[in-house]
Amino acid sequence: MTLETEPAPSVFSQIDFTNGAVAAVSGGSDSTALLLLLKDHLDRTAPATKLLAVTIDHGLRPGSAAQAVARLCLGRGIAHRTLVWSGRKPSTGMPAAAREARYRLLAEAAQAEGIGLILTGHTADDQAETVLMRKAREDGARQDGRGLAGMAPATLYDWRIWIARPLLGTRRAALREVLQRANVGWVEDPTNEDEAFERPRIRAALADRNGTQRVEDAVALAARAAVEREQLGHRAAALIRGFASRPAAGLIRLDPGFATAGDEAAAVYALRILLATVGGVAFLPDQVRSEALLDRLRAAPFCATLSRTVIDARRAGLFLRRETRNLPPAAPAVDNALWDGRRRIKLGDEPGAFLIAPLGAARAAKQAIPEDGTPPSLFRAALAAEPVLWRASELPGECLGSAQDSPVLPGMAVCPVVAPFARFLPSFDLAPAGTVAALIGAPLLPATPFSGHTAG
């Protein structure tokens, strides 16, 4: 692979660059090679494309690769921006916190430029490391195996900006050959050698004489797991379409046949996604507990709670609603904030101070009950946990309503979110995420960054 001759087919040929691209460039070999290959591809195929290189300075050690990246970009006519992760850093969970900050800053830079696509330089080596780390965590524990798919070719961040990884099938050594032929250097990140962290330990283990075979095996495992995960997602989406409905905001009904449809793996997966969505939880509930719950759904009526979601099995159906414990207290509404993990608040340009709080049981009891067979107690319990906007500095004040099904004021909205995929939605999971979004009235998925493909 050289700058003159890209792999066939090109790693960028299936990506839609109509609205430009942000390249995440740390200064390391992988991201530097990504930038040069991407610039070469765009110069040959779409020279008018907006390209912005962004370097994130995490502020974790003296010195930075940002200046080296800036010089490289200046010499090649590439727009470049350095963004700093400011503020206090956590004492634990640093890699995860740094990752969250990195993608947040990259998304902000992309949005400021009107760009909906971020490219990263993750390689086959990174994929192998990821799979081996996840496999080690799953060994000896009952897991669903979804994590063995590794990193997805694309991930939707914050339900609005795509992150694409075009080099997942390329080895790091090949990218370094590209840079050496172009006489371009790179910066080695010392944290990549710090075996106090899990990934450097795995990386060191892959450096032995059997490393090449282990990388190939791990990448092959990821490919198989990715196919299985996508297939499972499509089957779960079909079950949700066939058996789920939304009688009211915050209330999901499953036909009793859901539990006996015959595809237990898909039913458990669909149930986990729905439970996390209704409860506003970012992670899917435990696999074993979810399997036990599905088994109980086939038996006598009962009521249970999992992932902040009340499961109420009745003759009229299987109902899911947010439990009324630990709801957020009344607080000032903040534009674009995620309330209770379930609702995105949009205040628009509406002036004035607003509070947001759960409707509460007393006000829910005054609401009209729909004549569709939904048990009144469930309807009111679900409604009591829904957010309401108030125009006042303190409660009680003027109630503006929920703004979910119809805006109470121009530009204002309270939008449902698919909680487990609200922050990061891997392309493996587009089918169930899109189906649940349609069920609860969440915004549609933006088109994928791959030419000729849609989020459906």
Side-chain angles (χ1 to χ4, degrees):
M1 177 166 50
T2 70
L3 289 176
E4 291 75 27
T5 306
E6 290 188 61
S10 167
V11 293
F12 305 109
S13 63
Q14 297 300 314
I15 299 177
D16 183 358
F17 292 107
T18 303
N19 295 318
V22 165
V25 187
S26 67
S29 61
D30 304 347
S31 61
T32 301
L34 167 76
L35 179 63
L36 297 189
L37 290 168
L38 177 59
K39 179 67 164 74
D40 181 66
H41 172 81
L42 294 177
D43 284 347
R44 289 186 288 104
T45 61
T49 299
K50 181 186 292 187
L51 173 60
L52 173 66
V54 174
T55 303
I56 306 300
D57 182 354
H58 293 88
L60 299 176
R61 60 182 184 274
S64 169
Q67 292 182 349
V69 177
R71 288 193 297 269
L72 175 66
C73 291
L74 181 63
R76 294 184 178 255
I78 302 171
H80 175 259
R81 184 177 303 164
T82 299
L83 300 177
V84 179
W85 179 25
S86 57
R88 296 181 61 183
K89 308 300 187 294
S91 57
T92 59
M94 179 60 72
R99 172 177 176 264
E100 173 65 30
R102 182 164 59 251
Y103 284 125
R104 174 178 56 80
L105 291 169
L106 287 168
E108 289 174 359
Q111 191 164 34
E113 295 292 331
I115 296 173
L117 175 63
I118 298 167
L119 272 68
T120 69
H122 292 104
T123 66
D125 299 75
D126 296 311
Q127 183 75 302
E129 293 159 9
T130 298
V131 171
L132 291 175
M133 286 191 296
R134 293 179 180 177
K135 188 174 186 299
R137 294 170 196 161
E138 292 197 357
D139 284 347
R142 180 72 181 279
Q143 301 290 339
D144 59 11
R146 293 170 61 252
L148 297 182
M151 292 179 283
T155 297
L156 184 63
Y157 175 79
D158 212 22
W159 210 261
R160 58 191 172 94
I161 292 180
W162 283 102
I163 302 165
R165 304 178 180 92
L167 302 180
L168 279 182
T170 305
R171 293 297 305 270
R172 178 171 294 119
L175 296 176
R176 292 187 171 185
E177 287 182 11
V178 168
L179 297 179
Q180 290 164 355
R181 291 173 183 172
N183 198 29
V184 173
W186 62 86
V187 178
E188 294 287 0
D189 184 349
T191 60
N192 288 335
E193 309 298 327
D194 186 354
E195 295 190 18
F197 297 105
E198 182 181 20
R199 187 175 290 273
R201 292 196 298 271
I202 294 291
R203 186 168 298 176
L206 289 175
D208 63 19
R209 61 181 182 179
N210 296 321
T212 297
Q213 186 61 52
R214 292 184 66 195
V215 168
E216 292 177 357
D217 291 345
V219 171
L221 172 61
R224 294 192 301 271
V227 172
E228 293 172 359
R229 180 165 166 176
E230 279 201 63
Q231 293 174 342
L232 179 64
H234 279 285
R235 285 154 41 209
L239 286 176
I240 294 169
R241 286 193 301 271
F243 292 96
S245 59
R246 187 187 70 148
L251 185 64
I252 299 297
R253 178 187 179 275
L254 294 171
D255 291 341
F258 171 83
T260 56
D263 188 344
E264 180 161 345
V268 170
Y269 187 35
L271 183 61
R272 295 172 73 200
I273 295 172
L274 291 173
L275 288 169
T277 299
V278 172
V281 178
F283 299 99
L284 299 183
D286 177 75
Q287 172 78 12
V288 174
R289 294 184 67 186
S290 300
E291 290 173 353
L293 176 61
L294 180 68
D295 189 56
R296 290 189 66 188
L297 289 176
R298 301 189 183 105
F302 74 99
C303 190
T305 303
L306 181 59
S307 290
R308 306 199 313 182
T309 297
V310 175
I311 305 97
D312 197 324
R314 304 188 178 196
R315 292 177 181 175
L318 315 173
F319 293 89
L320 310 178
R321 63 173 176 85
R322 168 71 162 95
E323 65 175 335
T324 53
R325 294 186 307 162
N326 302 317
L327 287 167
V334 178
D335 186 44
N336 204 43
L338 189 60
W339 185 85
D340 195 39
R342 299 183 292 135
R343 304 288 183 262
R344 180 75 64 186
I345 310 303
K346 300 289 186 181
L347 298 179
D349 298 325
E350 181 65 26
F354 298 92
L355 292 178
I356 186 166
L359 179 64
R363 289 185 174 86
K366 299 177 182 179
Q367 304 298 312
I369 301 298
E371 298 180 0
D372 60 359
T374 301
S377 61
L378 293 181
F379 173 81
R380 287 177 172 141
L383 204 60
E386 286 299 290
V388 175
L389 291 170
W390 304 78
R391 192 202 296 274
S393 57
E394 59 182 24
L395 296 178
E398 180 191 356
C399 180
L400 301 176
S402 72
Q404 178 173 320
D405 295 315
S406 59
V408 292
L409 290 173
M412 296 181 66
V414 178
C415 302
V417 301
V418 185
F421 303 126
R423 200 59 157 174
F424 294 100
L425 168 57
S427 53
F428 306 134
D429 303 313
L430 287 179
T435 299
V436 174
L439 173 67
I440 65 175
L444 296 176
L445 289 168
T448 72
F450 303 114
S451 303
H453 293 72
T454 68

